[in-house]
Amino acid sequence: MDQSKTKGYKKIKQWLKANGRKPFKFQEDAWQHYLNGYSGLVNAPTGFGKTFSLFLAVAIEALNASETSNKKAKDRLQLIWITPLRSLAKDIARAMRETLLELELDWHVGVRNGDTSQAEKVQQKKSMPEILLITPESLHLLLAQKGSSTLFKNLKCIVADEWHELLGSKRGVLVELAVSRIKGLQKLEKNQFLRVWGISATIGNIDEALDVLEPNEAEKRIIIKADLEKKIIIKSILPDDIETLPWAGHLGLKLAYKLLPIIEKSKTTLIFINTRGQSEMWYQHLLNIEPELAGRIAIHHGSIDFELRNWIEDALHTGQLKAVIATSSLDLGVDFKPVDTVVQVGSPKGVARFLQRAGRSGHSPHETSKIYFLPTHALELVEAAAIKEAAKTNNIESREPFIMVFDTLIQYLVTLAIGDGFDDKVIYQEVKNTHAFKLILPEEWAWVMQFITSGGDSLSAYNEFKKVTKDEDGLWKVKSRQLAMRHRLHIGTIVSDAMLKVKFISGGYIGMVEEYFVTRLKAGDNFRLAGRVLEFVQVKDMTVVVRVSKQKNAISPSWNGGRLPLSSNLGSVLRKKYNEALDKTHQDEELDVVYPLFLLQEKRSHVPRNDELLIELINNKEGFHLFAYPFEGRLVHEVLAALVAYRLSKLLPISFSIAMNDYGFELLSDIEIPMDESIAYEVFSPKNLTEDITLSINSTEMARRKFRDIACISGLVFQGYPGKYVANKHLQSSAGLFFNVFSDYDKHNLLLRQAYDEVFYQQLEEPRLAAALERIQNGAIIITNPKSFTPLSFPIKVDSLRENMSSEELEQRIARMKAESEKVR
DNA sequence: GACCTGCTGCGGGATG
């Protein structure tokens, strides 16, 4: 049915017209489909009003129904808007409130998350706002409330904003489960209005993204793709001479001076750096080469105090700050806080991340986004060319949804049990209808139920694991109030490392550092955080107390963050660009600049073709090196190196030390490594892959480490109260205890199985590894014997040296390598 | 010809 003749629809169009705006076609598409009862997914570039496509659809519906809507205060809730970030909720709420005012629609917009005050929560309990902006965690907390099952009676729509961010994580599973429950509750009330919509940036598996959000194919579902091109210009910051760019390295300070004019001529600049520690170094370096920037630039990353970060975001927004150096902490929030210019320092490792960052500039529909790329080593210029091509052909990474995560399921069931309780037959069906658990077997469900009611086979002797019991009304509930409170504190799937807050003696928080970093400090030592040099005084009440230091130089804490491996999309385009660089079949200025390096690589060894695997055998004083370059990212290379080492050692007793980077890996041995074409095909074979991986790496140890998160999420381990401190060691050891008990007495424990699955599929990326080996089998293997290190092998060598050496020793070693290299020349 | 690596995100309320 055409909805454009309805009262509300006309009003919205008039209102837009009065503001000099015309809806995009995709927005009207979304309104029409929403009003006709569809669920779906909206996919459009940033800056085109994705938010308004759905928010206004719900508003139209409300305007159409305005006379009849006279609901009891309790039944007000119409729209749940899920955002992955608290800060986004604030910005979206503001925009919605302004719009509602202008539309004269008397609706309230509420925000519900960890920042919401107790008073406000009580108020919401009495009377929900019509629109509620909420995080996945807080939505589960809502389900954990007594009396929550009536809240969703008149709910019309659930929107998962930035759905691509949640999709590839257990937080996405939280959304799936909450949606399944709310649908079930509406079925009970026989009031089924609910439509489920996602808003997503472009990802490789957009169809699957919809399947996860609305798995029922019988529903009316649609994907609305905006037929709009966002123009993006990618400009590499090129060295005047390739020789100024190092062969190896990740910091990139050598080209920093080229950034100054860019910062100067832009009103606001966002500089993305890959790591927290490096962002501190860049900040210091920019101030050193341009003291005028003092007070006009700032750092923003995950270990800087929340308040300070808020201030920085606002100051950039208002133009008080000229530039901010940031990690992925500023990836999101594109639609509300655009900047003039964006710079990416070093490899972004993936196409999607790079484009998302680019989108923060030139944000309105007809502007062009511009992003500068500053390479930190020579080969990164090839990455720049590869990203340009991937962006042009829309070769964007997928986000793999999680399935069969029993820790999250266990948490969810206890959540329901501390709320209004649950009927296991009903919930089983609901859970089985989600994407995450559609493969769950009746016996697995029975195991989960047994686990939350009795603690399972191995924990049945302990009362604290008998969490859930059947009530007189036939529903499963948690009786203990203390247990319920502890559980509420633990809702969510993010498990953090032990961090200590950093605070001035005089008061005022600066940020966080890791526990282990502090253990190495003694009183009087200096370190750098949030761009300031701080003198360590003491640790008191689990807070690091510091004062301002007069020293200029200090160490930067390194935080043990996640690793960002090269995505396989980028890897494959990268291999292609290697050929074009040597053949000069390209139009990339970046490749022109690195051309001399490719010539040298070809002269000393070989530039691998698209369908080739290059193996370099180099023999020097250090020993016998084998380098191989699959371009699959360092996580895959880590496993691949162990696998090849294991298979070689079956041919002849030999041991290796292993090193890798995003492009390839190295095996180093004292004795000559047996290698020819037939051996190469054999050791890079996908045959017996799973068994050989298991034998070549210590999967038990890896699973044990994964189990820490699983133990926390499933509620086996209590992480302590917020603000109170539980030592990391304690957490690891008690999770380890459970791991041992389950391994010894409860082999069929599903949480144990999940730990191994997570190791194989997420950490080792077995499917990607298998695909890489398949590709290698079908291509050629080229073996060369260079006389010295090549442009490809050198960076791996430097990285491997760095791991075991101080920087001074490293300096000497590099000087020696350089000298030896020159002799050959 | 060549050095300083490792991201982000969340989080109590029932009862007197």
Side-chain angles (χ1 to χ4, degrees):
Chain A
M1 184 187 138
D2 181 14
Q3 300 281 348
S4 63
K5 299 287 179 283
T6 58
K7 195 173 70 178
Y9 203 106
K10 283 187 193 155
K11 180 158 187 183
I12 294 284
K13 286 198 84 160
Q14 274 165 14
W15 171 70
L16 283 171
K17 203 171 167 190
N19 284 295
R21 283 191 289 174
K22 220 181 112 211
F24 291 108
K25 186 179 166 295
F26 87 89
Q27 287 179 318
E28 292 209 63
D29 254 16
W31 301 344
Q32 291 276 2
H33 279 96
Y34 174 80
L35 293 168
N36 283 324
Y38 276 77
S39 290
L41 194 70
V42 175
N43 163 228
T46 49
F48 287 90
K50 284 192 292 244
T51 310
F52 278 78
S53 62
L54 284 167
F55 164 58
L56 289 182
V58 180
I60 292 170
E61 192 174 48
L63 290 167
N64 283 343
S66 58
E67 283 121 340
T68 53
S69 111
N70 195 10
K71 297 267 166 10
K72 279 181 293 172
K74 245 184 93 109
D75 303 334
R76 268 195 194 141
L77 190 60
Q78 308 277 314
L79 170 62
I80 286 181
W81 194 279
I82 301 171
T83 63
L85 263 78
R86 288 176 302 200
S87 57
L88 277 180
K90 238 178 7 196
D91 293 330
I92 296 172
R94 198 186 316 122
M96 282 181 175
R97 284 186 190 120
E98 282 166 14
T99 310
L100 288 170
L101 209 62
E102 289 186 30
L103 291 172
E104 296 168 326
L105 187 56
D106 184 23
W107 267 16
H108 296 273
V109 181
V111 174
R112 174 63 168 257
N113 56 39
D115 296 337
T116 309
S117 69
Q118 185 58 33
E120 224 176 316
K121 285 181 195 162
V122 171
Q123 175 58 33
Q124 285 177 358
K125 193 153 196 219
K126 262 191 264 165
S127 156
M128 270 288 171
E130 280 84 0
I131 300 177
L132 186 65
L133 295 149
I134 198 165
T135 57
E137 289 79 6
S138 286
L139 185 52
H140 275 243
L141 281 165
L142 223 50
L143 293 174
Q145 248 179 27
K146 298 269 186 249
S148 63
S149 36
T150 56
L151 283 177
F152 312 103
K153 218 175 183 172
N154 289 303
L155 187 70
K156 304 283 192 302
C157 183
I158 299 177
V159 171
D161 202 353
E162 307 277 3
W163 177 232
H164 59 283
E165 285 292 327
L166 294 171
L167 180 63
S169 77
K170 290 181 187 173
R171 298 183 80 199
V173 179
L174 289 180
V175 173
E176 290 179 57
L177 290 168
V179 167
S180 80
R181 184 74 277 247
I182 293 170
K183 276 186 189 163
L185 286 169
Q186 285 208 342
K187 219 171 267 172
L188 231 56
E189 299 272 344
K190 305 212 168 24
N191 267 346
Q192 290 172 60
F193 314 107
L194 192 72
R195 280 143 285 177
V196 186
W197 281 80
I199 300 178
S200 169
T202 301
I203 48 174
N205 53 338
I206 199 90
D207 296 331
E208 192 177 24
L210 174 61
D211 277 343
V212 175
L213 203 55
E214 176 50 81
N216 187 356
E217 286 172 33
E219 293 285 332
K220 295 202 261 181
R221 303 188 308 172
I222 179 126
I223 293 180
I224 293 178
K225 268 192 199 170
D227 195 14
L228 297 161
E229 272 297 312
K230 180 75 191 168
K231 284 208 191 70
I232 294 179
I233 294 180
I234 302 169
K235 178 98 187 80
S236 294
I237 297 175
L238 300 172
D240 298 326
D241 181 356
I242 183 70
E243 306 192 350
T244 49
L245 256 190
W247 283 19
H250 307 276
L251 197 51
L253 294 179
K254 285 218 167 125
L255 289 177
Y257 73 97
K258 292 216 168 195
L259 220 52
L260 296 176
I262 293 171
I263 295 174
E264 202 42 58
K265 74 170 193 274
S266 316
K267 225 168 79 196
T268 49
T269 304
L270 210 45
I271 302 164
F272 284 106
I273 311 267
N274 279 343
T275 72
R276 286 168 282 189
Q278 287 183 338
S279 69
E280 300 272 347
M281 291 185 230
W282 260 88
Y283 175 83
Q284 198 53 50
H285 187 75
L286 284 177
L287 282 182
N288 286 347
I289 58 174
E290 181 51 284
E292 293 269 290
L293 286 173
R296 296 160 74 212
I297 59 174
I299 314 179
H300 191 285
H301 62 62
S303 294
I304 288 175
D305 188 65
F306 194 69
E307 295 288 313
L308 194 55
R309 279 159 68 178
N310 266 341
W311 180 87
I312 291 169
E313 283 177 54
D314 288 341
L316 184 70
H317 191 47
T318 58
Q320 226 177 313
L321 282 172
K322 206 154 172 50
V324 170
I325 298 161
T327 58
S328 350
S329 54
L330 280 181
D331 272 354
L332 289 177
V334 182
D335 285 318
F336 299 94
K337 289 185 178 139
V339 293
D340 265 12
T341 304
V342 177
V343 180
Q344 166 72 38
V345 174
S347 165
K349 314 275 186 181
V351 185
R353 182 179 298 107
F354 191 70
L355 295 183
Q356 178 148 38
R357 289 176 175 180
R360 284 210 73 147
S361 79
H363 153 266
S364 73
H366 308 293
E367 279 177 87
T368 300
S369 291
K370 185 163 188 181
I371 183 163
Y372 290 93
F373 175 74
L374 190 149
T376 62
H377 61 79
L379 290 177
E380 248 171 24
L381 282 170
V382 193
E383 275 190 56
I387 283 180
K388 275 188 189 173
E389 170 152 342
K392 217 181 293 161
T393 54
N394 242 345
N395 187 352
I396 317 274
E397 289 86 9
S398 299
R399 307 261 184 157
E400 295 304 328
F402 276 67
I403 57 165
M404 301 299 259
V405 277
F406 292 105
D407 54 352
T408 313
L409 180 59
I410 284 168
Q411 186 191 89
Y412 168 65
L413 293 180
V414 178
T415 297
L416 294 182
I418 64 177
D420 288 338
F422 70 92
D423 177 333
D424 55 326
K425 298 215 172 48
V426 173
I427 299 297
Y428 173 64
Q429 276 314 319
E430 287 178 14
V431 166
K432 196 165 169 52
N433 283 334
T434 63
H435 177 273
F437 297 104
K438 68 178 172 201
L439 298 177
I440 193 170
L441 303 169
E443 53 268 33
E444 288 167 338
W445 175 263
W447 183 91
V448 170
M449 284 303 293
Q450 200 207 349
F451 189 78
I452 60 172
T453 51
S454 78
D457 284 351
S458 46
L459 302 175
S460 55
Y462 304 93
N463 277 331
E464 57 175 309
F465 298 108
K466 298 184 175 118
K467 295 184 176 171
V468 178
T469 51
K470 202 168 203 167
D471 209 24
E472 289 122 14
D473 57 7
L475 298 178
W476 293 97
K477 288 180 187 168
V478 168
K479 281 280 160 56
S480 151
R481 275 179 54 191
Q482 196 206 350
L483 220 153
M485 191 175 81
R486 269 170 63 145
H487 181 80
R488 282 197 190 91
L489 283 168
H490 274 69
I491 285 182
T493 56
I494 299 167
V495 183
S496 315
D497 282 336
M499 300 267 260
L500 301 183
K501 289 198 165 193
V502 181
K503 186 185 158 183
F504 285 121
I505 292 184
S506 49
Y509 287 96
I510 309 141
M512 322 258 271
V513 288
E514 279 182 6
E515 186 187 2
Y516 91 97
F517 176 74
V518 178
T519 57
R520 297 185 323 205
L521 294 178
K522 34 184 211 307
D525 280 355
N526 295 295
F527 66 96
R528 203 195 315 277
L529 181 64
R532 292 191 246 209
V533 179
L534 305 169
E535 183 188 323
F536 175 65
V537 180
Q538 60 171 335
V539 177
K540 197 179 164 194
D541 297 334
M542 291 309 155
T543 303
V544 181
V545 182
V546 298
R547 64 165 70 95
V548 179
S549 166
K550 291 194 185 63
Q551 299 269 338
K552 265 270 156 72
N553 282 316
I555 47 171
S556 282
S558 76
W559 292 269
N560 201 357
R563 293 173 165 177
L564 300 165
L566 193 74
S567 78
S568 70
N569 296 46
L570 196 47
S572 80
V573 188
L574 204 55
R575 286 194 296 272
K576 181 166 165 253
K577 284 286 160 191
Y578 270 70
N579 305 320
E580 296 179 7
L582 190 67
D583 302 345
K584 293 205 151 196
T585 52
H586 61 82
Q587 274 127 33
D588 304 297
E589 49 176 354
E590 292 89 355
L591 297 185
D592 283 333
V593 177
V594 282
Y595 182 66
L597 210 62
F598 277 86
L599 275 184
L600 186 69
Q601 173 70 30
E602 186 67 16
K603 190 174 139 216
R604 284 198 185 167
S605 166
H606 177 69
V607 174
R609 306 266 130 186
N610 221 352
D611 53 355
E612 290 173 351
L613 173 74
L614 171 66
I615 295 176
E616 294 178 335
L617 300 170
I618 298 172
N619 171 7
N620 64 11
K621 255 187 266 167
E622 200 186 0
F624 297 86
H625 309 257
L626 180 153
F627 291 94
Y629 310 98
F631 295 94
E632 289 290 350
R634 55 173 301 147
L635 288 185
V636 168
H637 291 159
E638 197 170 345
V639 195
L640 198 50
L643 179 75
V644 171
Y646 165 75
R647 286 174 172 176
L648 283 171
S649 72
K650 281 205 303 194
L651 299 176
L652 134 138
I654 182 170
S655 68
F656 299 99
S657 62
I658 292 174
M660 62 258 141
N661 67 8
D662 276 329
Y663 303 156
F665 64 85
E666 175 203 16
L667 299 179
L668 170 63
S669 172
D670 305 338
I671 58 172
E672 189 164 359
I673 302 170
M675 184 52 62
D676 59 32
E677 212 173 288
S678 75
I679 295 177
Y681 278 110
E682 207 175 302
V683 295
F684 282 94
S685 156
K687 252 184 264 158
N688 295 324
L689 185 57
T690 310
E691 299 94 287
D692 283 359
I693 291 179
T694 319
L695 291 168
S696 60
I697 57 164
N698 191 345
S699 57
T700 305
E701 193 43 49
M702 292 168 94
R704 183 193 301 278
R705 246 172 266 147
K706 282 272 173 205
F707 194 76
R708 188 188 78 127
D709 282 17
I710 292 173
C712 287
I713 295 170
S714 61
L716 279 170
V717 175
F718 185 57
Q719 286 176 81
Y721 294 92
K724 294 268 170 53
Y725 171 81
V726 174
N728 203 22
K729 247 192 246 155
H730 169 73
L731 211 67
Q732 182 69 52
S733 68
S734 49
L737 232 52
F738 283 111
F739 186 85
N740 293 346
V741 170
F742 294 157
S743 301
D744 292 346
Y745 302 107
D746 192 2
K747 282 261 186 278
H748 301 291
N749 188 302
L750 292 181
L751 295 175
L752 200 61
R753 193 179 86 193
Q754 187 188 338
Y756 282 95
D757 283 350
E758 284 187 17
V759 166
F760 273 83
Y761 292 106
Q762 277 126 48
Q763 189 163 345
L764 307 182
E765 295 190 84
E766 202 196 24
R768 183 172 170 187
L769 180 61
L773 292 176
E774 205 63 57
R775 172 172 62 76
I776 291 167
Q777 288 299 306
N778 295 325
I781 294 182
I782 309 289
I783 301 172
T784 64
N785 297 283
K787 296 276 174 292
S788 65
F789 293 125
T790 59
L792 277 175
S793 61
F794 186 82
I796 303 180
K797 197 63 239 166
V798 171
D799 273 4
S800 81
L801 292 176
R802 190 176 298 133
E803 304 227 322
N804 334 316
M805 274 183 216
S806 72
S807 54
E808 268 160 291
E809 286 171 310
L810 182 63
E811 212 168 337
Q812 286 165 13
R813 276 297 287 279
I814 287 169
R816 211 165 65 226
M817 277 159 73
K818 181 175 150 187
E820 279 167 22
S821 200
E822 269 164 11
K823 258 188 270 166
V824 179
R825 208 166 156 214

